[in-house]
Amino acid sequence: MKNWWHCMVGSLQKQTKFVHECIKTILKLYKGQEFAPKSVAIIGHSMGGLVARALLTLTNFKHDLINLLITQATPHVAPVMPLDRFITDFYMTVNNYWILNARQINLTTLSVAGGFRDYQVRSGLTFLPKLSHHTSALSVVSSAVPKTWVSTDHLSIVWCKQLQLTTVRAFFDLIDADTKQITQNSKKKLAVLTHHFIRHPSKHFEENPAIISDLTGTSMWVPVKVSKWTYVAYNESEKIYFTFPLENHRKIYTHVYCQSTMLDTNSWIFGCINSTSMCRQGVDLSWKAELLPTIKSLTLRLQDYPSLSQLVVYVPSVHGSKFVVDCEFFKREARSIQLPVTHLFSFGLSSRKVVINTSGLYYNIELLNFGQIYQAFKINVVSKCSAVKEEITSIYKLHIPWSYEDSLTIAQVPSSTEISVKLHSAQPENDNHVALLKMYTSSDCKYEVTVKTSFSQILGQVVRFHGGALPAYVVSSILLAYGGQLYSLFSTGCCLEYATMLDKEAKPYKVDPFVIIIKFLLGYKWFKELWDVLLLPELDAIVLTSQSMCFPLVSLILFLFGTCTAYWSGLLSSVSVRLLSSLWLALKRPSELPKDIKMISPDLPFLTIVLIIVSWTTCGALAILLSYLYYVFKIVHLQASLTTFKNSQPVNPKHSRRSEKKSNHHKDSSVHHLHLSANDAEDSLRMHSTVINLLTWIVLLSMPSLIYWLKNLRYYFKLNPDPCKPLAFILIPTMAILGNTYTVSIKSSKLLKTASQFPLPLAVGVIAFGSTHLYRVPCFVFIPLLLHALCNFM
């Protein structure tokens, strides 16, 4: 199942029904065969995974038609960019169904995320909801998948060979020997997926593995009494069992750690359950081992195995192969080192360091106070080795206990290795586990671990988790500047420059405090009830809090980025208008400033009706784009006329001022026939530049609908449902009127003061309700534009 990026709910619903029909058709193809399947397994990439989950919401869908669901880089929690309400409603329908019917849904589901290389879908969105009564769901990041251990981008997760092989191995192990189909046993399916995608013991999967193994045959038994032991095997002619008596070690040590560089799938470590010098039977501890890129390792807490008298390490007879087996006993306190991470606002200027001087093989570095998604660090591991004759490999594994998002770093020692440390999901409130840096080291080396805050990666986390909200902050800043321009026109009679008003009006303290106060008041029952009575939507800040995505000062950071973007987008639109006007003058004869200002030109009603018909019969986003182009054309024409007028004026400044006064006197003495002066034209262009900036963002937010319509134009001419159609019906006449609006015609309007006061509360509304629901942003923009247009008539 493929990736649909410009998904509309109509498409998603059609695709869901289509997949249902595909499943029924596929199963019919096998009807009458000896081992005919009764269900299918689905692998869904990106939105395909959501469509597969949506199958269960169909009224006529039988749940037992799907046996297994594996999704790859699928945003299960929420859409990446909620650009229309239909896709948000689709998500709500699917997720609510799965939550409310979790006890009835017996579908084993695995979600695989791409990790930090996936810039399209962040991994936090791919995690399936953790419900206490729904244990047949797993979520894992590809960097934590055994035998994969890499992050993938959004597309390569499909063809990543390591991940493909892991998936294929899992499917082979899921086959039931009797039915020749994927097993119906939910526990087995979950066990297989856990074996291949979560923790691999370097053994082939067995549904019921033999715990007790016979240790018989012609083998050499070698007792080992030291606490630290290494054996290099090369061209071994016979099998060897190395035995470690545990009685004395239990009195001194708490744990035992063993590792082997022989990465075969045979059992290699056992626990002896009798007290004789040679074990006849042993507990196969190999199932508790963990496969890593260069070793397989096992760590046991001795008190958990009181019945074991000896630990047995098996070295097979090999020819032409060389491998190393190490074992050591240790105290937990000696190998667990606490390292508090640096503060968020240290900006990398300070660091904390631990030095490992002991010659151990395994260490746990506890990263204290690390559990929030806005934290990001650089850990530098410096290894210094003595008398290194051959290549030695160390493995540094970042282990996140509350989520399967581990990552591994392999380093050749001696070396200096930098590790990026950040999270895909925040630590749950009721979780007391500590993030660990597991170090699989060399006994010949000393290690120095330094951690410091990475400010650049913190900004990266802000962009990763909140970058989608940036358009809302840009529009909020533009609205504040727009309101300032309207008020300056009302109070002084002239419109100030956009950049000046942006610098003066776009302040975070005008927006953020109101959002914070509303969020605080919603904690009170009476205010929440009043909120619900008014049918107001849920505050976006509360949605972010529920997803553990509230950063300190994140709104301030986004506001600064938004204001900066608003400034450059305004500059770009102003420069574009000037360049287009220059091109217009180069291609056509010079234009003149309009002698009489007409708010409704003869062709305006016809053009408006045509564009509304286009919106109704095709796509609302197309009509919005055409209206936008018409508006830009009008402003380019005005800019060209003003340039022509200035070039034609005499150089004598006194004559220029006299003619300007005469023009203004004539303008004031005429009520019904307003004339446009050069100053009025410049004022109008300043205002129009801001309006173009606002409209540009509306057009950009509606582009996905237009792109989707164009891609499917060969199938249907009318987009249905169309999220932009209601907006188009309002914006088309508004833009048509604004294209013929000049500041001289509205500065005396009774509605102007009211119009200048609206952008501030609307800028607050954009942040409060549009930061995680971008489709709401245009609803807040068209209101001041509509009031601006109505100023021509009131």
Side-chain angles (χ1 to χ4, degrees), residues 286 737 793:
S286 306
I737 295 172
F793 308 101

Side-chain angles (χ1 to χ4, degrees), residues 88-123:
T88 304
D89 293 342
F90 185 82
Y91 264 88
M92 190 175 296
T93 300
V94 174
N95 286 331
N96 286 346
Y97 182 88
W98 276 65
I99 291 171
L100 296 174
N101 299 276
R103 295 184 185 276
Q104 289 75 40
I105 296 175
N106 192 30
L107 175 60
T108 302
T109 309
L110 171 69
S111 175
V112 183
F116 288 112
R117 286 186 180 176
D118 190 340
Y119 298 113
Q120 294 187 39
V121 178
R122 62 177 179 84
S123 298

